[in-house]
Amino acid sequence: MSKKLSINAAIDYLSNQQVIAYPTESIFGLGCDPDSEKAVKQLLELKKRDINKGLILIADNYQQLLPYIDDDGLSTEQKNMMFESWPGHVTWILPKNSATPYFITGQFDTIAVRVTAHPVVKALCHQYGKPIVSTSANLSGYAPCQTSEQVQQQFGQSFPILQGKLGNKTNPSQIRDSRNGQIIRY
């Protein structure tokens, strides 16, 4: 039986450097505290994902992302383009802050971030007071999980899953590059 988590229980898992699954706008995501190298490495191991690929951070608001990005490296035009799409289903590639750890950004000098409109994830990040890692809940090479049952099939019957329904999007978030506005993933 899966562990159906409330937001407070999910925060306990995150605070204890553990990985959880949670609903997003389109699929279930896997998340953890982005400041915990232990938790991020556990997430990468669970997914069988290469650390060099980097990860997305999902937040309640832009201010939660400031410790991880180089805000001064963004023009007003770039910020306006980004803010027009948020909160929403668009992930932006931004310049990273020099203190942002390699285990989040991988081989890149940028970081992928999103301010979500999904009410459950928004509430989780708001109450946790910071963003969380957001990557699709699936083993590398498998389709992203769209039900809690699929999460259990891939990660085990007792895997902790934040209660909530998926949003109405059919694809993972669009990814855009803030440097040129280019769409990297539709």
Side-chain angles (χ1 to χ4, degrees), residues 16-172:
N16 287 305
Q17 302 182 71
Q18 294 178 307
V19 178
I20 63 167
Y22 57 90
T24 71
E25 293 89 344
S26 60
I27 58 175
F28 275 84
L30 289 182
C32 64
D33 186 320
D35 297 319
S36 168
E37 184 173 5
K38 175 185 173 187
V40 172
K41 286 186 172 178
Q42 179 187 5
L43 181 146
L44 293 170
E45 189 175 308
L46 276 168
K47 251 185 93 80
K48 301 184 182 351
R49 181 180 170 96
D50 185 343
I51 194 170
N52 290 312
K53 288 185 173 185
L55 295 161
I56 295 171
L57 297 187
I58 191 169
D60 172 42
N61 58 62
Y62 184 68
Q63 288 68 33
Q64 288 186 337
L65 299 169
L66 292 175
Y68 306 93
I69 65 171
D70 177 10
D71 184 63
D72 294 333
L74 294 168
S75 69
T76 301
E77 182 182 327
Q78 289 170 316
K79 287 181 185 178
N80 288 340
M81 194 170 39
M82 189 172 57
F83 293 150
E84 286 175 12
S85 71
W86 284 347
H89 197 54
V90 179
T91 296
W92 285 90
I93 305 295
L94 305 179
K96 74 173 185 170
N97 181 308
S98 61
T100 301
Y102 173 83
F103 58 83
I104 293 293
T105 61
Q107 64 184 339
F108 304 102
D109 61 356
T110 56
I111 185 167
V113 296
R114 179 166 89 248
V115 173
T116 184
H118 191 282
V120 173
V121 183
K122 210 167 171 47
L124 175 65
C125 292
H126 177 77
Q127 289 182 43
Y128 194 45
K130 66 194 299 186
I132 61 172
V133 169
S134 184
T135 185
S136 59
N138 61 289
L139 299 170
S140 288
Y142 287 73
C145 296
Q146 296 186 314
T147 65
S148 56
E149 291 78 18
Q150 290 173 344
V151 172
Q152 291 174 308
Q153 288 169 357
Q154 290 191 40
F155 298 103
Q157 291 297 312
S158 62
F159 198 83
I161 303 170
L162 178 60
Q163 292 182 50
K165 295 183 183 200
L166 296 183
N168 59 1
K169 304 293 184 189
T170 55
N171 294 317

Side-chain angles (χ1 to χ4, degrees), residues 175-186:
I175 299 178
R176 296 185 67 185
D177 191 325
S178 67
R179 295 169 289 192
N180 54 25
Q182 179 182 359
I183 297 173
I184 297 169
R185 179 176 78 187
Y186 288 91

